[in-house]
Amino acid sequence: MENVVIIGSGCAGLTAAIYCARADLHPVVIEGSQPGGQLTTTSLIENFPGFPDGIGGFELVNNMKQQAEKFGTKFLSEEVIFIDFSLKTKKLTTATGTMEAKAIIVATGAAPRFLNIPGEKNFCNGKGLSTCATCDGAFFKNKIVAVIGGGDSACEEALFLTHFCQKVYIVHRRDQLRASKIMSEKVMTNNKIEILWNSVPVEMLGNEKLSGLKLVTSGQKNILNCDGVFLAIGHTPNTKIFAHWLDQSEEGYILTSYSQTNISGVFAAGDCADPKFRQAVTAAGLGCSAAMEAERYIVSKC
Ligand code: NAP
């Protein structure tokens, strides 16, 4: 039987692995369908402490993986397809078999929602389309950008982008923001922000780099020229497979108290349990907390 199995290999999962491995627990990481998690789709990370010149997303997670391996973590390039948390010994099934563990750390992350419109896939990875203004905003100094969405995230992203950009459009599909009153007021009184109401993006335009958005505004087709597009239409936590076992919010985020889920010995960390911050550094911190709680659980209860 394994001591601890970590499901997911993004920032939270890898940090949990480093801590569990250094505690001599010989953790196993099941890497999942996107090894390295969301960071692998970000070009340069300038806000992870310790890297004054920034670091590539792929390089950062690769470094974390090497660090976890160095202390004895085993990586399985597989996906969990079945779970049984009914007994004290937890069971996980992948395509190649079933394993048992004393403790589990769920770090399956979340996926930003995409519009699924023509052109969208062409501009990921530093070509003008981003899902995180905090990560990529500084690359759009004095540029014109559009934020898609009308919730608190869209408003927060738009306000953040005004620190760098010449002009920020919020493109919203309705005539009213979903965001809280205070956030709505902030964007509506910021003279760098213009809201395009009743506007539905139907295509992303550009050759090498993104150069505009095709919109349908109140039934009329038009083109918005811009250098960048930030999607803020929500995230979906990768937690479906746990729905039967772990208490979740309405949106599917795993509910935790100090990393502990409703099932003793099952912990959760990172974006799958964090609807609010979703930063690499917060995910790493939550991975550390989950590992420390898992270690305490194994020492005291197993
Ligand atoms: P959200 O509240 O679900 O808003 C998503 C927005 O995207 C909505 O305005 C929605 O339009 C729009 N949208 C969704 N699918 C779309 C599509 N296919 N095409 C065009 N537009 C689409 O998500 P969120 O803004 O990420 O916020 C999530 C949660 O975190 C909320 O509870 C929020 O309050 C919270 N949050 C809080 C803060 C803060 O307190 N500072 C900051 C960020 C987030 P409709 O309005 O028409 O549905």
Side-chain angles (χ1 to χ4, degrees):
M1 180 171 27
E2 306 294 345
N3 288 312
V4 54
V5 175
I6 298 159
I7 310 172
S9 57
C11 234
L14 292 173
T15 306
I18 292 166
Y19 272 77
C20 287
R22 288 197 76 243
D24 221 17
L25 292 172
H26 305 285
V28 175
V29 172
I30 301 179
E31 291 189 290
S33 61
Q34 190 185 10
Q38 287 181 73
L39 277 188
T40 57
T41 63
T42 308
S43 44
L44 185 68
I45 297 161
E46 291 189 314
N47 55 8
F48 199 91
F51 298 95
D53 299 323
I55 181 165
F58 184 80
E59 193 185 353
L60 180 62
V61 286
N62 205 36
N63 287 350
M64 288 184 186
K65 184 175 178 183
Q66 280 178 31
Q67 201 173 345
E69 268 171 338
K70 178 175 136 188
F71 294 113
T73 304
K74 188 169 138 192
F75 284 84
L76 298 180
S77 172
E78 299 201 71
E79 276 183 73
V80 174
I81 51 175
F82 187 74
I83 281 156
D84 184 353
F85 290 161
S86 59
L87 302 172
K88 191 172 177 202
T89 297
K90 315 297 184 273
K91 287 186 185 167
L92 296 175
T93 302
T94 68
T96 57
T98 296
M99 67 179 82
E100 294 186 339
K102 293 175 188 169
I104 302 286
I105 297 175
V106 178
T108 45
R113 289 190 201 127
F114 283 82
L115 290 163
N116 296 319
I117 58 173
E120 190 174 43
K121 293 274 179 284
N122 302 344
F123 303 112
C124 299
N125 286 325
K127 291 184 183 157
L129 177 64
S130 169
T131 54
C132 175
T134 319
C135 319
D136 299 327
F139 302 122
F140 292 87
K141 223 164 236 163
N142 299 321
K143 304 276 187 192
I144 298 170
V145 298
V147 177
I148 317 294
D152 280 322
S153 294
C155 293
E156 202 168 65
E157 304 261 290
L159 288 165
F160 183 77
L161 288 164
T162 60
H163 300 309
F164 312 97
C165 302
Q166 187 195 123
K167 170 105 189 170
V168 180
Y169 291 97
I170 292 181
V171 177
H172 186 36
R173 63 186 176 183
R174 290 190 291 135
D175 61 357
Q176 208 178 5
L177 293 174
R178 175 179 295 279
S180 57
K181 196 164 173 256
I182 185 164
M183 291 297 268
S184 304
E185 278 171 5
K186 276 188 186 169
V187 298
M188 289 204 251
T189 54
N190 189 305
N191 56 20
K192 273 195 177 178
I193 298 178
E194 183 178 336
I195 305 179
L196 303 178
W197 302 104
N198 300 309
S199 294
V200 177
V202 291
E203 188 175 348
M204 294 201 186
L205 307 169
N207 295 319
E208 284 294 292
K209 289 209 162 197
L210 188 141
S211 62
L213 260 182
K214 197 183 274 179
L215 302 174
V216 174
T217 303
S218 306
Q220 296 284 329
K221 278 190 188 154
N222 58 91
I223 287 177
L224 175 68
N225 293 316
C226 58
D227 307 292
V229 169
F230 289 79
L231 295 179
I233 59 170
H235 281 71
T236 307
N238 303 320
T239 56
K240 230 181 197 164
I241 195 167
F242 306 102
H244 175 70
W245 301 101
L246 302 181
D247 289 348
Q248 300 181 359
S249 68
E250 240 174 67
E251 301 82 30
Y253 290 93
I254 297 172
L255 301 178
T256 58
S257 171
Y258 295 104
S259 310
Q260 174 67 65
T261 68
N262 55 301
I263 295 186
S264 182
V266 180
F267 305 86
D271 287 13
C272 66
D274 170 19
K276 191 157 183 186
F277 300 108
R278 299 194 297 258
Q279 297 300 299
V281 69
T282 47
L286 292 165
C288 159
S289 313
M292 292 176 77
E293 290 295 16
E295 185 198 358
R296 275 182 204 135
Y297 168 82
I298 290 167
V299 169
S300 64
K301 305 244 168 79
C302 296

